[in-house]
Amino acid sequence: MKKAILLFFLVFSFTISAQEVEHTIIVKDADTNNPIEDVSVYITKTKQLLLSNSEGKVTFDLTGISNIQVSHSSYVTVNFRSSALLKTDNIIYLKNNTKDLDEIIITKQHPQKILKALVQNSIKQLTVPARLKVYSREFFKMNGTYSYYNDGLMNFQIFGRDKNFKSNILVEQNRSIGLIDEEISGDVLGYNLNNIMENYYNFKYLEPILAERAKKDYEFVIKVYSANNNYNLISATPLDEGKGLKDDFTIIYDPKKKLIIEVSSIIAPSSLTRSKEKTAVGSKNIYKSIFKTIYRVDTQNYYLASSKEEIGFERVDKHNKTTDIEVRNYFVTTNFSNQNYIYKESEVFKDKTLYNKKNVILSDYWNVSGLAATAEEKEIIDKIE
């Protein structure tokens, strides 16, 4: 009888430990108590990568115990065991590694030349071949009203090398909800999935400041990154005399490994003020453009972790009418592997966007997507649906 009771408790304990448990983490600044967005949370056991939303929130399911790493380019990395987590919301505080003043770095080489070398080395060090499981999410707003939502779970198989990167895509699941005006082109919606990964791996979005002409159009400055002493920062700011819309660029990089960690850009306010309004039918007058990519470096691999793009513009229509359009996209790598996946050529997704693809919903994949929806986003999705 004693042996039977002991066996029962052993089996019961194993069953409990083997159960899948949902965890929620809210990441906050230790000094301000404000939530931190774009924090990477890496689950060692499942090799799952998650990204905190604007509420600092991350949710995930886990069976058993795992080491967890919480990291952000502006904060000190924190490591802990999942056994330390409570069933309810867990608040993780990150300490900002801020210096009192920005320290400008004086170099013999022009900062642009240093940036070009960083891009070249980063391209060479990107882990290829690779398989990225990616969750994408898109919000579409027309004339101030959210009218369309799309998300999907995809596998990107990346191959090639040095500016000749290629990718094949297999769509696991996807959904599209809402209605789009017939006059809205499908090109406006979503990433161009045919070349999006190649663009990220080639750092294509830096091309405006890599051109030789950029030395005359931008002011380049290198600083020690004030939020993290381990990184440097390159800023490229448009000069006032420049023509056309130009962005403010910020590149955060590891000076020892010579790898780019983050790239971000936003339309320079001065550039926006100088831009002339277009009046031709079909023209787009851009008033907002935000871009950010984050790359992850671990002991063996270097790959795209996430991207965020947002654009707003007024499209000139016929009869002196305009349509206000805003699109917000997210791209999150939830799992990385350097192993190829097996597929048939007929299974490869070759369209530009998920817009016209029939919904394929096998599970509530958005709940374990690596990017939890905020309360505001949930409200928008429910309203559209």
Side-chain angles (χ1 to χ4, degrees):
M1 178 61 73
K2 289 182 179 179
K3 290 182 179 179
I5 293 174
L6 178 60
L7 180 62
F8 169 78
F9 278 109
L10 287 173
V11 173
F12 180 76
S13 299
F14 176 78
T15 302
I16 293 297
S17 65
Q19 286 182 343
E20 193 171 62
V21 179
E22 182 181 90
H23 297 284
T24 299
I25 293 175
I26 298 175
V27 189
K28 292 189 175 184
D29 186 297
D31 297 322
T32 66
N33 203 40
N34 292 328
I36 309 173
E37 188 176 7
D38 295 336
V39 175
S40 295
V41 178
Y42 184 70
I43 315 300
T44 304
K45 184 177 182 179
T46 60
K47 297 182 179 180
Q48 185 179 14
L49 186 62
L50 312 129
L51 197 71
S52 67
N53 60 24
S54 59
E55 298 172 344
K57 187 177 181 180
V58 166
T59 60
F60 60 95
D61 293 332
L62 180 64
T63 301
I65 307 299
S66 174
N67 290 327
I68 297 175
Q69 182 189 76
V70 181
S71 60
H72 188 284
S73 62
S74 301
Y75 295 85
V76 178
T77 297
V78 171
N79 294 281
F80 60 91
R81 297 277 284 173
S82 61
S83 54
L85 296 174
L86 304 173
K87 290 184 178 179
T88 55
D89 290 353
N90 300 270
I91 299 179
I92 304 296
Y93 290 99
L94 297 186
K95 185 68 177 177
N96 198 309
N97 192 18
T98 306
K99 298 183 75 175
D100 293 335
L101 295 172
D102 288 336
E103 181 183 340
I104 296 178
I105 300 174
I106 307 300
T107 62
K108 293 181 180 179
Q109 292 182 322
H110 191 282
Q112 190 203 50
K113 189 172 182 179
I114 293 174
L115 177 59
K116 287 181 177 180
L118 283 169
V119 170
Q120 290 174 359
N121 186 64
S122 296
I123 289 174
K124 289 180 180 179
Q125 296 302 320
L126 282 162
T127 305
V128 178
R131 182 178 72 212
L132 276 63
K133 178 169 284 192
V134 172
Y135 173 71
S136 71
R137 173 185 293 166
E138 175 185 61
F139 293 91
F140 180 93
K141 184 191 285 188
M142 186 166 64
N143 293 327
T145 301
Y146 284 100
S147 53
Y148 172 80
Y149 174 78
N150 168 272
D151 64 14
L153 193 60
M154 297 171 284
N155 283 293
F156 282 81
Q157 179 66 55
I158 304 172
F159 51 96
R161 175 51 63 192
D162 293 356
K163 295 191 176 181
N164 289 313
F165 295 112
K166 302 293 180 184
S167 65
N168 286 331
I169 310 168
L170 268 66
V171 179
E172 285 191 13
Q173 301 185 64
N174 71 288
R175 61 174 176 164
S176 299
I177 55 178
L179 299 174
I180 293 296
D181 188 287
E182 291 181 358
E183 295 183 4
I184 299 299
S185 168
D187 293 336
V188 171
L189 302 171
Y191 301 94
N192 182 344
L193 297 175
N194 286 330
N195 61 13
I196 188 65
M197 200 59 74
E198 290 93 317
N199 290 342
Y200 290 150
Y201 271 53
N202 289 326
F203 295 90
K204 184 178 176 63
Y205 294 88
L206 288 176
E207 284 185 355
I209 58 174
L210 294 176
E212 192 62 29
R213 170 74 192 181
K215 290 181 181 179
K216 298 180 180 179
D217 293 337
Y218 290 84
E219 179 185 15
F220 289 83
V221 176
I222 299 181
K223 300 177 182 179
V224 174
Y225 185 36
S226 61
N228 191 327
N229 298 340
N230 295 319
Y231 296 143
N232 286 353
L233 178 151
I234 297 178
S235 63
T237 307
L239 298 172
D240 291 341
E241 58 267 24
K243 296 181 180 179
L245 283 179
K246 290 183 173 61
D247 291 344
D248 283 325
F249 287 88
T250 302
I251 300 94
I252 299 171
Y253 68 96
D254 186 325
K256 292 182 179 179
K257 296 180 179 178
K258 294 180 171 48
L259 294 177
I260 293 174
I261 305 300
E262 289 184 15
V263 175
S264 58
S265 66
I266 185 170
I267 289 182
S270 58
S271 178
L272 198 59
T273 302
R274 293 193 308 270
S275 65
K276 295 181 180 179
E277 185 176 354
K278 300 174 183 177
T279 57
V281 174
S283 298
K284 299 175 184 178
N285 290 301
I286 299 173
Y287 58 82
K288 175 172 61 176
S289 178
I290 301 170
F291 171 82
K292 183 177 183 179
T293 54
I294 300 174
Y295 296 84
R296 177 174 172 79
V297 183
D298 59 29
T299 54
Q300 295 179 323
N301 302 302
Y302 175 50
Y303 58 94
L304 176 79
S306 67
S307 73
K308 185 191 306 180
E309 298 187 42
E310 189 170 351
I311 187 168
F313 61 89
E314 282 191 345
R315 188 194 61 192
V316 181
D317 298 329
K318 297 178 181 179
H319 311 300
N320 296 322
K321 291 184 178 181
T322 60
T323 301
D324 188 284
I325 296 171
E326 292 182 54
V327 184
R328 187 166 79 245
N329 299 315
Y330 300 92
F331 220 51
V332 180
T333 297
T334 63
N335 286 96
F336 171 88
S337 171
N338 54 15
Q339 301 296 317
N340 294 336
Y341 56 76
I342 300 173
Y343 59 90
K344 298 177 181 178
E345 185 63 27
S346 59
E347 297 173 326
V348 176
F349 181 76
K350 296 183 179 180
D351 290 342
K352 289 184 177 181
T353 74
L354 295 175
Y355 173 51
N356 290 319
K357 182 172 172 56
K358 184 179 179 180
N359 286 4
V360 179
I361 303 174
L362 307 176
S363 64
D364 296 341
Y365 63 90
W366 47 87
N367 290 331
V368 289
S369 63
L371 181 64
T374 63
E376 179 190 16
E377 289 171 341
K378 286 180 180 178
E379 186 178 344
I380 291 170
I381 296 168
D382 291 341
K383 187 175 182 180
I384 296 174
E385 194 170 21

